[in-house]
Structures are given as C-alpha cells and as structure tokens.
Amino acid sequence: MGLSRELATANIAHFYSTYLPTYGDYMVRGALEYFDSLAAEDGGGLGVEGAYNRIMNEALYRIGLYEEGFSGYPVKVGTGMENTYADSLPAHLVVDYFYPHAAGTDRAALIEQMDSGAVSNANFVLAWSHIAPVIGTPAAAQVIDAIVTHTDSMPLLPAANLAFAGLDDGQVEFLVGMYVSAFGRAPEHDGLAFWAGEVARITAQEGDAFREIGMRFYDAGQSHGEAGTALNNAGYISLAYLNVYGREAEAQGYDYWLQSLDDGLSRGAFIAEFSGAAQGDDRQYLDARIAVAGHVAQDHVSGDGALTLDFLMDVLQGVTNAGQAYAAIQDIIDIYGTPQAIGLMGMADDVGELTLA
C-alpha cells in the first residue's frame, strides 16, 4: 500500500515544525502548498509519494539555507544545488542534527552506514521523516529498517566471523545458503565446519565442489530427517520457493523444476542451482537470511551444540530484508557478544550436538 496523502501531510508538518522551526507555521504552510503543487496532476504530476520524496530530498538544502544547521557548510544558492549540498555534508553532522540525543552505539552505527556509502544522506532523511513521528528515540536497527522500507539504499550488515582453511568468502556463503535453502534453518558451527572441510578437500582435487557438495549435503540431511526431506518432489519445490525466495512458486518455474526432478535431477543439485539463480528481490530475501544464519553459525554462538533445532529455524522467522536482518543480527550480538569479547555470555542448556554430517 502506497503512502496516503493524510500520512504524507502529517509527516511533512511534523518534519518542518521540528527541523525547520525558525519561520514557524509559515514554513509549514509553504511546505504543504509545495507538496500539493508537486502532487497535482496539473502541476508537478509526481503523485503523493513522488512529491513527498522530492520534498524530503530537498530538506538538507533547506535546513542549511533557513536554519544554517550545518556548521562550516553554508548553502550556495542556485538551481539544482539540493543534491550537491546534501552529498557534501559529513554524515555525523546529519545524524546529530536530526538525532542529537542518540545513544552512542546507535549514533556510531548510523554514521558508519552513511560514511560507507551504503546509505545516502538524503535517504537517511527520507527514512527519518517516516520514523521520527512514530518512535521518539529509535534504535539504529529501527532506523535502518525504515531505510530499507522507504528508500532504495541497501544498508551494510555486520560481518560474521566465519573463516575456514581453504575456503573463500563466497564458498562459505554457499554453504550457509545451503542450510537456509535446503532445510530452512541456520547452520550450527560444527556442521558447517564439517562441510567446509569437504568443500576444501573436493575443490583441491576437482576444482568445483558445489554440485557434488549439494548432492551429498541433501542426502545427509535426509538421513537425519531434516525439514522437507520427506516431501514428494512437488511439495519440496513449493518448500524451496518459500525457503529461498520467500514466496509461492510461479507456474513456469514450478513446472520447469518439477520436470527436472522427475527426470532425475538430484534434490541437492536442484537446491544448489535454484538458490544460485536468485535475482532481484529474491536475491535480497535470500541474502538477508544467509547473513543472519552466518552469525548463528559462529563458533561462540553455536559451537558448543547448545542451540536447539527449533532455534536454528526460528531465528530466521520474520527475516525478509536487510533491515530485519540487521535487527536480528544485533539481537544475536546483544545475547552472545562477539568473538573478540572477553568472557562470552552464558548459553542455553546443552541439548546435544546437531552436526549434519
């Protein structure tokens, strides 16, 4: 559902009265009239959402012009200067202007996203305009979720500490993705380490381990009764679409893969090819879940075998985009700490190892 006119005007009024207060109601009325002119079919013709985004895209320029809000960065008046000015501002000035009372960790996380180039200054402001009227003191994860929801920026996710001899990052990601795609769960560390060793061994001998590992991986999971392995081919394809793409199968793709499996393609080879074919929104969905699963697979999180199979599945529930992945990863870090932390936090009661080997 798109942005309603009622919500757009309420957000604009809140934004201008809060962040451009010098001229009071006069500035608010001007912003709302500008919005109406941009949205009108016989005016700007941008529609509600387009007009709203344009106004927020120009916000940093107007704050610099009317509020002199960014010390050391005076506005140079001229046509088309809005984007140039917004891009020139250091991230810390932008974050501090809108969120001067942010907790230190939240401030640092937001500045890091913007300094990296993953989130533009303008997109931070656009997201902030949506979340500030709703949550007075948002955590960084909530702001990042708003960035994913309302902008085209793709935030950085904290990197997991997963290093295995003989494997590069892409190969480790492939293995984590096999757990997510084939069985809808995160790996436990010992199981991932086993398959990492197998990939390294086979790659050294043959050069390409992905297809063979995919087949062996699925067969091992089937012998352990992993989720979905008892389904027929039709049921497993439907499950794979949900695990990998987060949606129902389209008819053409469903028919293609069903015919392939019925003709003898192994399920392991299918899942390796199927997950590798993800693109666009499907790829973003899968990447978000792989990122969370990778953090669960770290030695200090699941290396003692204390995490239940239910947890390994439940930790991915509700993770459909980078914003939700960021929040889930922060929860993992809050509970388990980082590998560098001295004295890791206590784990759950031991339930035995879940090594898939």
Side-chain angles (χ1 to χ4, degrees):
M1 184 176 180
L3 179 66
S4 69
R5 178 177 290 272
E6 180 181 14
L7 181 57
T9 55
N11 283 357
I12 291 169
H14 176 274
F15 187 94
Y16 269 75
S17 62
T18 303
Y19 304 112
L20 288 97
T22 298
Y23 296 94
D25 290 344
Y26 173 79
M27 185 66 75
V28 174
R29 288 197 302 272
L32 293 175
E33 290 172 2
Y34 182 41
F35 167 76
D36 285 337
S37 69
L38 290 173
E41 291 185 7
D42 58 353
L46 297 179
V48 170
E49 192 160 357
Y52 183 89
N53 291 353
R54 170 74 69 81
I55 285 178
M56 292 307 161
N57 189 58
E58 298 175 0
L60 290 172
Y61 177 84
R62 296 183 184 281
I63 289 169
L65 179 64
Y66 296 114
E67 302 295 331
E68 298 181 356
F70 306 108
S71 178
Y73 291 83
V75 168
K76 295 180 180 179
V77 178
T79 303
M81 292 295 294
E82 293 87 357
N83 290 337
T84 300
Y85 183 74
D87 292 340
S88 73
L89 297 173
H92 72 273
L93 291 183
V94 178
V95 172
D96 290 347
Y97 186 85
F98 291 100
Y99 200 7
H101 305 300
T105 53
D106 291 325
R107 177 180 182 272
L110 294 171
I111 291 172
E112 179 185 21
Q113 292 288 337
M114 296 159 71
D115 278 344
S116 73
V119 177
S120 68
N121 289 345
N123 277 352
F124 169 80
V125 174
L126 177 56
W128 186 260
S129 74
H130 283 281
I131 198 170
V134 181
I135 305 175
T137 55
Q142 293 172 303
V143 180
I144 289 170
D145 187 56
I147 289 168
V148 173
T149 301
H150 298 291
T151 81
D152 58 2
S153 285
M154 187 58 59
L156 294 175
L157 298 178
N161 185 15
L162 290 173
F164 300 100
L167 268 65
D168 60 29
D169 290 344
Q171 291 169 317
V172 174
E173 183 177 299
F174 163 78
L175 283 176
V176 175
M178 284 296 294
Y179 279 87
V180 174
S181 301
F183 309 132
R185 71 170 178 91
E188 72 291 347
H189 181 78
D190 289 348
L192 185 65
F194 170 83
W195 287 108
E198 291 298 283
V199 170
R201 181 182 61 79
I202 296 171
T203 300
Q205 295 173 351
E206 302 175 16
D208 184 5
F210 285 0
R211 189 178 183 89
E212 180 175 343
I213 287 295
M215 292 186 289
R216 291 181 53 199
F217 179 89
Y218 181 87
D219 290 345
Q222 187 174 37
S223 70
H224 285 75
E226 287 280 355
T229 56
L231 296 172
N232 61 20
N233 285 341
Y236 189 70
I237 290 172
S238 296
L239 179 64
Y241 267 88
L242 293 176
N243 284 346
V244 180
Y245 298 163
R247 61 176 174 82
E248 300 293 332
E250 76 284 356
Q252 183 176 3
Y254 176 88
D255 291 343
Y256 170 80
W257 289 114
L258 181 59
Q259 187 65 53
S260 297
L261 288 176
D262 286 347
D263 286 345
L265 178 68
S266 74
R267 288 192 181 182
F270 154 67
I271 206 67
E273 294 178 21
F274 183 67
S275 58
Q279 298 178 358
D281 291 343
D282 292 336
R283 185 74 247 175
Q284 292 178 18
Y285 175 88
L286 180 57
D287 285 347
R289 293 163 68 81
I290 289 174
V292 175
H295 279 265
V296 174
Q298 295 174 112
D299 188 23
H300 75 283
V301 177
S302 60
D304 68 351
L307 298 183
T308 66
L309 187 58
D310 285 343
F311 177 88
L312 296 173
M313 298 182 72
D314 291 347
V315 73
L316 300 182
Q317 295 301 309
V319 176
T320 65
N321 60 41
Q324 293 159 349
Y326 185 93
I329 290 168
Q330 289 303 314
D331 287 343
I332 293 168
I333 293 172
D334 288 345
I335 295 170
Y336 298 100
T338 64
Q340 295 77 26
I342 298 175
L344 297 174
M345 298 178 66
M347 306 295 185
D349 291 338
D350 184 44
V351 294
E353 291 189 0
L354 295 169
T355 302
L356 179 62

PDB file of all heavy atoms in Angstrom, residues 304-309 348-354:
ATOM      1  N   ASP A 304      29.072 -24.865  20.871  1.00  0.00           N
ATOM      2  CA  ASP A 304      29.019 -25.846  21.962  1.00  0.00           C
ATOM      3  C   ASP A 304      27.825 -26.782  21.834  1.00  0.00           C
ATOM      4  O   ASP A 304      27.553 -27.577  22.720  1.00  0.00           O
ATOM      5  CB  ASP A 304      29.000 -25.141  23.315  1.00  0.00           C
ATOM      6  CG  ASP A 304      27.714 -24.366  23.553  1.00  0.00           C
ATOM      7  OD1 ASP A 304      26.911 -24.234  22.604  1.00  0.00           O
ATOM      8  OD2 ASP A 304      27.509 -23.894  24.684  1.00  0.00           O
ATOM      9  N   GLY A 305      27.078 -26.674  20.721  1.00  0.00           N
ATOM     10  CA  GLY A 305      25.945 -27.575  20.498  1.00  0.00           C
ATOM     11  C   GLY A 305      24.739 -27.291  21.355  1.00  0.00           C
ATOM     12  O   GLY A 305      23.847 -28.130  21.468  1.00  0.00           O
ATOM     13  N   ALA A 306      24.665 -26.087  21.951  1.00  0.00           N
ATOM     14  CA  ALA A 306      23.580 -25.801  22.890  1.00  0.00           C
ATOM     15  C   ALA A 306      22.313 -25.290  22.216  1.00  0.00           C
ATOM     16  O   ALA A 306      21.269 -25.221  22.853  1.00  0.00           O
ATOM     17  CB  ALA A 306      24.046 -24.767  23.933  1.00  0.00           C
ATOM     18  N   LEU A 307      22.384 -24.911  20.948  1.00  0.00           N
ATOM     19  CA  LEU A 307      21.216 -24.359  20.281  1.00  0.00           C
ATOM     20  C   LEU A 307      20.346 -25.484  19.729  1.00  0.00           C
ATOM     21  O   LEU A 307      20.823 -26.392  19.065  1.00  0.00           O
ATOM     22  CB  LEU A 307      21.643 -23.422  19.148  1.00  0.00           C
ATOM     23  CG  LEU A 307      22.458 -22.195  19.568  1.00  0.00           C
ATOM     24  CD1 LEU A 307      22.752 -21.329  18.355  1.00  0.00           C
ATOM     25  CD2 LEU A 307      21.727 -21.394  20.635  1.00  0.00           C
ATOM     26  N   THR A 308      19.059 -25.395  19.989  1.00  0.00           N
ATOM     27  CA  THR A 308      18.134 -26.428  19.522  1.00  0.00           C
ATOM     28  C   THR A 308      17.847 -26.249  18.042  1.00  0.00           C
ATOM     29  O   THR A 308      18.023 -25.158  17.473  1.00  0.00           O
ATOM     30  CB  THR A 308      16.809 -26.365  20.293  1.00  0.00           C
ATOM     31  OG1 THR A 308      16.149 -25.125  19.963  1.00  0.00           O
ATOM     32  CG2 THR A 308      17.049 -26.447  21.787  1.00  0.00           C
ATOM     33  N   LEU A 309      17.362 -27.333  17.429  1.00  0.00           N
ATOM     34  CA  LEU A 309      16.979 -27.257  16.025  1.00  0.00           C
ATOM     35  C   LEU A 309      15.859 -26.247  15.832  1.00  0.00           C
ATOM     36  O   LEU A 309      15.821 -25.525  14.830  1.00  0.00           O
ATOM     37  CB  LEU A 309      16.547 -28.640  15.531  1.00  0.00           C
ATOM     38  CG  LEU A 309      16.262 -28.789  14.037  1.00  0.00           C
ATOM     39  CD1 LEU A 309      17.479 -28.398  13.208  1.00  0.00           C
ATOM     40  CD2 LEU A 309      15.832 -30.207  13.718  1.00  0.00           C
ATOM     41  N   ALA A 348      22.319 -21.408  26.320  1.00  0.00           N
ATOM     42  CA  ALA A 348      21.177 -22.163  26.818  1.00  0.00           C
ATOM     43  C   ALA A 348      21.639 -23.526  27.302  1.00  0.00           C
ATOM     44  O   ALA A 348      22.774 -23.937  27.078  1.00  0.00           O
ATOM     45  CB  ALA A 348      20.144 -22.322  25.699  1.00  0.00           C
ATOM     46  N   ASP A 349      20.755 -24.269  27.975  1.00  0.00           N
ATOM     47  CA  ASP A 349      21.112 -25.609  28.438  1.00  0.00           C
ATOM     48  C   ASP A 349      21.497 -26.486  27.263  1.00  0.00           C
ATOM     49  O   ASP A 349      20.911 -26.430  26.191  1.00  0.00           O
ATOM     50  CB  ASP A 349      19.910 -26.254  29.153  1.00  0.00           C
ATOM     51  CG  ASP A 349      19.608 -25.556  30.464  1.00  0.00           C
ATOM     52  OD1 ASP A 349      20.520 -24.899  31.009  1.00  0.00           O
ATOM     53  OD2 ASP A 349      18.455 -25.652  30.919  1.00  0.00           O
ATOM     54  N   ASP A 350      22.509 -27.330  27.471  1.00  0.00           N
ATOM     55  CA  ASP A 350      23.015 -28.176  26.396  1.00  0.00           C
ATOM     56  C   ASP A 350      21.966 -29.195  25.970  1.00  0.00           C
ATOM     57  O   ASP A 350      21.353 -29.861  26.796  1.00  0.00           O
ATOM     58  CB  ASP A 350      24.279 -28.898  26.870  1.00  0.00           C
ATOM     59  CG  ASP A 350      24.898 -29.720  25.759  1.00  0.00           C
ATOM     60  OD1 ASP A 350      24.994 -29.209  24.642  1.00  0.00           O
ATOM     61  OD2 ASP A 350      25.287 -30.864  26.045  1.00  0.00           O
ATOM     62  N   VAL A 351      21.753 -29.267  24.647  1.00  0.00           N
ATOM     63  CA  VAL A 351      20.785 -30.242  24.126  1.00  0.00           C
ATOM     64  C   VAL A 351      21.458 -31.222  23.182  1.00  0.00           C
ATOM     65  O   VAL A 351      20.803 -31.952  22.451  1.00  0.00           O
ATOM     66  CB  VAL A 351      19.615 -29.546  23.385  1.00  0.00           C
ATOM     67  CG1 VAL A 351      18.802 -28.733  24.374  1.00  0.00           C
ATOM     68  CG2 VAL A 351      20.129 -28.672  22.256  1.00  0.00           C
ATOM     69  N   GLY A 352      22.781 -31.252  23.159  1.00  0.00           N
ATOM     70  CA  GLY A 352      23.483 -32.189  22.292  1.00  0.00           C
ATOM     71  C   GLY A 352      23.812 -31.575  20.956  1.00  0.00           C
ATOM     72  O   GLY A 352      23.196 -30.627  20.506  1.00  0.00           O
ATOM     73  N   GLU A 353      24.805 -32.102  20.292  1.00  0.00           N
ATOM     74  CA  GLU A 353      25.231 -31.556  19.010  1.00  0.00           C
ATOM     75  C   GLU A 353      24.232 -31.909  17.920  1.00  0.00           C
ATOM     76  O   GLU A 353      23.557 -32.912  17.973  1.00  0.00           O
ATOM     77  CB  GLU A 353      26.609 -32.110  18.658  1.00  0.00           C
ATOM     78  CG  GLU A 353      27.709 -31.588  19.565  1.00  0.00           C
ATOM     79  CD  GLU A 353      29.086 -31.971  19.055  1.00  0.00           C
ATOM     80  OE1 GLU A 353      29.162 -32.646  18.002  1.00  0.00           O
ATOM     81  OE2 GLU A 353      30.070 -31.590  19.710  1.00  0.00           O
ATOM     82  N   LEU A 354      24.158 -31.008  16.932  1.00  0.00           N
ATOM     83  CA  LEU A 354      23.253 -31.201  15.811  1.00  0.00           C
ATOM     84  C   LEU A 354      24.047 -31.277  14.505  1.00  0.00           C
ATOM     85  O   LEU A 354      23.596 -30.846  13.479  1.00  0.00           O
ATOM     86  CB  LEU A 354      22.252 -30.030  15.751  1.00  0.00           C
ATOM     87  CG  LEU A 354      21.300 -29.924  16.937  1.00  0.00           C
ATOM     88  CD1 LEU A 354      20.563 -28.610  16.901  1.00  0.00           C
ATOM     89  CD2 LEU A 354      20.308 -31.083  16.906  1.00  0.00           C
TER      90      LEU A 354
END
